[in-house]
Amino acid sequence: MQDREHKNTFSGRLITGLSEAFERVRADGQCKAVVLTGYENYFASGGTKESLLQIQDRKISFTDSNIYGLALDCPVPVVSAMQGHGIGGGFAMGLFADFVVLSQESVYTTNFMQYGFTPGMGATLILPRKLGSSLGQEMLLSARTYYGRDLKERGVPFPVLRRAEVLPYAVELAENLAEKPRVSLVTLKDHLVSDLRTQLPSYIEREVAMHEKTFHQPEVRELIQSRYLGS
């Protein structure tokens, strides 16, 4: 992912490009693994200021694109090489991968509540599932920012490496996966993520319902306008 102009926020260009890339993976019967990464110190930075304001105005919904579910729906294993900052929906999207690698120097946050609205993008499902109930709920409710090294100290079940080591580690892992027969990889992934795939639509439905209660408050618009500084 490399939308330098928007620092890997979920711009229209990033959403379209990423969706098309995963479609090519789905159509490629030779592909056995995917490495999802960003550029320099950005992995994925969540919604743009404009899109948050449009959701607040009821003009769009985060469900208008399924960017959050691309890694989960991908038939082959996905390695999320979060070499840079993972913010809001960008962090949640990365956690839906089959393997996650974090950077010691990067920041990770689900900062939805910083703007006064409840989380979306499947975050209420994937954070407690991947990070554990206690840490997942803490991140969702507090909207605090954590360095990768902080999460390592909290015992997250992922490798947390120096930034320069993240992508090489992820590529090595993908190469290991690629040694296996594709049909076996697809079959085992289908089994391992079946519960997540089944549960995600109901969580998205409930997140949308929570947005109806929380996103359209006047103070939310004020918080987006005053606190959104870009990535």
Side-chain angles (χ1 to χ4, degrees), residues 41-56:
N41 58 333
Y42 293 100
F43 174 70
S45 303
T48 65
K49 182 176 183 178
E50 291 73 22
S51 66
L52 296 182
L53 290 172
Q54 286 181 313
I55 294 173
Q56 209 275 334

Side-chain angles (χ1 to χ4, degrees), residues 26-46:
R26 181 176 293 278
D28 184 353
Q30 302 301 311
C31 181
K32 295 183 177 182
V34 173
V35 176
L36 179 63
T37 195
Y39 74 93
E40 295 175 1
N41 58 333
Y42 293 100
F43 174 70
S45 303

